[in-house]
Amino acid sequence: MLLIMRRLGCKEVADSVLDELKTKTEDFTKQGNRAPSLAVLLVGHDAASETYVRKKAEACARLGFLHFQYSFDEDCSESELLTLIDELNGRDDVDGILVQLPLPASISERRVIERISPEKDVDGFSPVNAGRLLIGEDCFVPCTPKGIMETLRYYGVETAGKKAVVIGRSNIVGKPMAAILMQRGIDATVTVCNTKTPDLREYTLQADIIIVATGHPGTIDETYVKDGAVVIDVGVNRIPDPSKKSGYHLSGDADYASFTNRNVSITPVPGGIGLMTVSMLMSNTFEAAMRRRG
Ligand code: GUN
């Protein structure tokens, strides 16, 4: 059987970003600068969050970045977090601050994120950075959408004049993704769908580029996608699987296997956009360090 699906693996994309950053970091420190530094705050023991935070620490180690981790119990108070963020905002040896989400329900994610100084907000989640992105000003771009753009560039996917459909409207992925794709210079025509969209296929079947970020496996399969389209799968869902030592396997939001015999380009899970999110965090942290040195 002829397999015509194109797998847009992100390992080599992420590695090329990290290798370039490592060289830049070496040059930066040779000039007498302290290495870029990242402070990561983790609350509770969510297994997925612990994995993400570990991967961020590993990436810092690979690049020679300084890394400070602060772990809190599930029952920590919002004011404890705010006090630490105030301290980190004022510390000269901290370039970037990241609070791993989600936070426990008793803590306001908005109040916590808004407390991070916009100059150290390497996630790009603060209202200042989100607003700047929307109006096309220089800012920290949220890591997942930034990584998606890097992947599209790496694989030579044209965006100008193309129809892009974003499925999902989160502050972390969907909204910033739509803002970037519609920017002058990127020039896609963007539609944003959500769980209340009555007939998703009506939109996706017209799309040249589909970004699926719902957090629900099986949101789309090959029947939602036209020939020649590019599918970017942002989902990282843990599916219980007794045959695995870990007890689960990972699945994206798209039914990857259904595309096998289709003329479609698609990012896999694992090995896809998740790798880009971490490498873009390192890129933003490097940028924060550069900017803070003027
Ligand atoms: N939780 C899921 N994705 C992210 C992310 O990109 N940054 C943070 N801080 N938390 C997350």
Side-chain angles (χ1 to χ4, degrees):
M1 200 181 298
L2 182 66
L3 303 184
I4 49 175
M5 181 187 83
R6 182 181 182 213
R7 178 187 187 273
L8 305 180
C10 294
K11 173 98 173 70
E12 62 191 87
V13 195
D15 278 342
S16 76
V17 169
L18 292 173
D19 289 346
E20 191 185 327
L21 272 176
K22 192 167 164 49
T23 308
K24 282 190 188 167
T25 303
E26 283 162 4
D27 291 345
F28 188 61
T29 51
K30 270 187 209 141
Q31 288 159 15
N33 295 297
R34 165 182 58 67
S37 73
L38 176 66
V40 177
L41 283 62
L42 172 66
V43 181
H45 299 282
D46 176 72
S49 288
E50 283 179 341
T51 303
Y52 294 140
V53 164
R54 196 183 63 246
K55 288 189 185 307
K56 291 166 187 178
E58 286 167 2
C60 282
R62 172 169 169 178
L63 298 187
F65 286 11
L66 302 169
H67 172 261
F68 308 104
Q69 182 159 335
Y70 300 89
S71 298
F72 293 84
D73 280 337
E74 187 82 22
D75 60 359
C76 90
S77 70
E78 190 175 306
S79 70
E80 273 178 88
L81 285 183
L82 296 178
T83 303
L84 176 59
I85 290 170
D86 287 344
E87 182 204 317
L88 295 169
N89 281 338
R91 262 173 55 180
D92 203 42
D93 62 337
V94 172
D95 296 314
I97 303 172
L98 175 147
V99 178
Q100 187 64 33
L101 303 178
L103 291 172
S106 58
I107 297 175
S108 159
E109 285 187 356
R110 268 291 118 208
R111 273 197 296 271
V112 168
I113 286 167
E114 289 183 19
R115 197 68 160 246
I116 300 171
S117 157
E119 289 72 40
K120 297 191 177 188
D121 168 36
V122 286
D123 255 332
F125 292 167
S126 76
V128 169
N129 282 308
R132 283 185 182 152
L133 179 67
L134 199 59
I135 59 178
E137 279 186 10
D138 198 26
C139 64
F140 287 116
V141 177
C143 303
T144 301
K146 185 173 173 169
I148 290 170
M149 293 313 296
E150 191 68 30
T151 304
L152 294 176
R153 253 191 301 276
Y154 185 89
Y155 283 108
V157 177
E158 180 63 70
T159 52
K162 301 296 179 186
K163 290 185 183 136
V165 168
V166 179
I167 313 172
R169 53 177 156 182
S170 70
N171 292 331
I172 296 180
V173 183
K175 284 183 199 164
M177 189 74 251
I180 296 168
L181 285 166
M182 71 171 82
Q183 265 171 10
R184 205 174 284 282
I186 308 289
D187 300 323
T189 301
V190 185
T191 304
V192 183
C193 298
N194 62 66
T195 45
K196 302 276 188 330
T197 302
D199 180 5
L200 201 52
R201 280 189 190 84
E202 186 183 332
Y203 304 93
T204 58
L205 280 171
Q206 293 193 40
D208 303 299
I209 301 167
I210 300 173
I211 317 278
V212 55
T214 58
H216 298 293
T219 299
I220 60 168
D221 61 22
E222 63 99 11
T223 64
Y224 286 69
V225 178
K226 72 173 183 183
D227 263 3
V230 174
V231 177
I232 302 291
D233 190 348
V234 179
V236 182
N237 304 292
R238 292 184 172 207
I239 312 295
D241 183 346
S243 76
K244 300 279 180 199
K245 208 170 110 202
S246 60
Y248 66 88
H249 69 261
L250 293 180
S251 161
D253 293 343
D255 179 359
Y256 187 85
S258 77
F259 292 93
T260 305
N261 297 312
R262 289 289 310 280
N263 171 22
V264 164
S265 301
I266 179 168
T267 59
V269 179
I273 295 302
L275 297 170
M276 296 309 299
T277 300
V278 178
S279 59
M280 292 301 122
L281 174 66
M282 298 299 112
S283 162
N284 282 355
T285 303
F286 183 80
E287 210 176 295
M290 296 272 283
R291 285 190 200 171
R292 292 187 63 245
R293 306 300 187 287

